[in-house]
Amino acid sequence: MDFKEIIINNSKKAYEIYVPHISVDTVIFGFNGEQLKALLLKMKFNQQWFLPGGYMKKEENLESAAKRILKERTQLSDIFLQEFSVFSEFNRSEKTFEDFPDDLWHKQRFISVGYYALVNHKDVSPIGDELSESCDWIFLDELENYNITMDHKKIIEKALNTLREQISYKPIGLNLLPEKFTLPELQKLYEAILGRTLNRGNFYRKIKNIGILKKLDEQRKGGAHKSPDLYIFNQENYFKALESGIAGW
């Protein structure tokens, strides 16, 4: 069975399983210590890149559908998840499936609800499906080099802008960094999200003054220079600080 037949057969099943005209697209963010990245799938039938997404089953709500989709792609179930926008432009998906019959499920008009997820990329084992050639991490500053389908690039950009707006009151560092990290790694994470360089002295002073970190009696080993100290989040203080917002980035 070729890919076109698989899609058509899946379409017939979809009418029975899912709620019509509602879809879910997830932007799964990871951080490698230097750069932000997002998880995308490359489809076999048109060689375009898609966000991990899907549809809401008739017995599901939107959040449970998003969690199911995330688990299918990452094998993780305990993930920070945040709804961030709705995308309802006309003809969002028709061009992508223009070579298919007009009654194809995927070719219908869908209003998509966007969620962003924050994960430690080392915990993720990306999983594709029968229609995807690969499921890979893509650096955000390299998106222009990829043939991204429909409005999924716009969805990624909106998710990143939302992340920037929410950086002061969402537990972003807690979910994107490993449990133990250095101050330079924390600063690089904030710089990657904000898209600009932060003054090191001011950043370190602010972070230490708000008391959200606990210094460990350990250092990061293996570098060419002095081994930096390792920290963990003081989660009680961290969540208290987020309630009022950590301003001033």
Side-chain angles (χ1 to χ4, degrees):
M1 185 181 297
D2 63 22
F3 301 126
K4 189 168 185 177
E5 289 177 305
I6 293 173
I7 292 173
I8 291 173
N9 284 339
N10 288 348
S11 169
K12 295 174 182 176
K13 297 175 184 177
Y15 278 100
E16 301 174 1
I17 299 171
Y18 302 113
V19 177
H21 306 299
I22 298 176
S23 62
V24 175
D25 284 304
T26 61
V27 182
I28 305 172
F29 287 116
F31 179 66
N32 72 340
E34 296 284 343
Q35 296 171 278
L36 271 181
K37 50 189 182 178
L39 198 65
L40 279 80
L41 297 100
K42 186 177 184 180
M43 290 297 151
K44 295 176 181 177
F45 78 94
N46 62 3
Q47 298 295 292
Q48 293 181 341
W49 292 84
F50 286 66
L51 284 169
Y55 308 101
M56 182 173 65
K57 293 181 179 180
K58 292 179 180 180
E59 69 275 12
E60 288 181 321
N61 59 33
L62 279 167
E63 184 171 335
S64 61
K67 288 180 177 179
R68 170 177 52 79
I69 291 165
L70 286 169
K71 187 170 184 179
E72 289 171 353
R73 297 290 166 254
T74 67
Q75 305 303 293
L76 300 177
S77 54
D78 186 18
I79 295 179
F80 178 87
L81 185 66
Q82 178 69 46
E83 181 184 333
F84 68 91
S85 193
V86 174
F87 302 88
S88 60
E89 287 80 358
F90 189 60
N91 290 337
R92 290 185 60 243
S93 57
E94 284 84 341
K95 185 176 180 181
T96 301
F97 298 97
E98 60 185 351
D99 294 332
F100 291 84
D102 288 342
D103 63 351
L104 186 82
W105 170 269
H106 313 75
K107 199 173 181 178
Q108 306 311 299
R109 185 177 185 185
F110 283 93
I111 296 172
S112 184
V113 181
Y115 286 84
Y116 74 76
L118 307 177
V119 300
N120 182 343
H121 76 107
K122 292 182 179 179
D123 294 336
V124 175
S125 300
I127 301 294
D129 57 26
E130 62 183 348
L131 296 175
S132 59
E133 182 176 298
S134 61
C135 183
D136 296 315
W137 289 107
I138 304 300
F139 291 117
L140 296 191
D141 58 5
E142 297 178 0
L143 289 180
E144 297 295 338
N145 299 328
Y146 291 84
N147 182 14
I148 300 176
T149 195
M150 296 187 278
D151 56 355
H152 287 196
K153 184 172 181 289
K154 176 182 177 181
I155 294 174
I156 296 170
E157 292 170 346
K158 176 64 176 178
L160 178 58
N161 286 334
T162 304
L163 199 61
R164 288 171 176 164
E165 293 168 359
Q166 298 182 345
I167 195 170
S168 295
Y169 55 92
K170 295 293 183 183
I172 290 170
L174 183 65
N175 289 279
L176 285 174
L177 289 169
E179 181 184 5
K180 300 176 184 180
F181 53 87
T182 67
L183 283 176
E185 288 168 346
L186 180 61
Q187 180 175 346
K188 286 179 181 178
L189 171 61
Y190 275 81
E191 290 176 338
I193 293 171
L194 295 171
R196 56 185 171 86
T197 302
L198 300 173
N199 179 275
R200 184 176 66 176
N202 290 342
F203 181 84
Y204 288 8
R205 191 178 308 112
K206 180 179 179 62
I207 286 293
K208 290 180 178 180
N209 286 344
I210 57 180
I212 63 173
L213 301 183
K214 179 180 178 181
K215 184 179 176 182
L216 301 175
D217 195 19
E218 301 177 44
Q219 287 78 38
R220 173 79 74 221
K221 304 297 183 182
H225 305 289
K226 179 181 176 181
S227 300
D229 293 320
L230 287 171
Y231 293 80
I232 61 173
F233 283 108
N234 180 323
Q235 294 196 28
E236 182 179 356
N237 290 352
Y238 188 27
F239 282 101
K240 283 182 180 178
L242 292 174
E243 288 178 4
S244 55
I246 305 173
W249 305 118

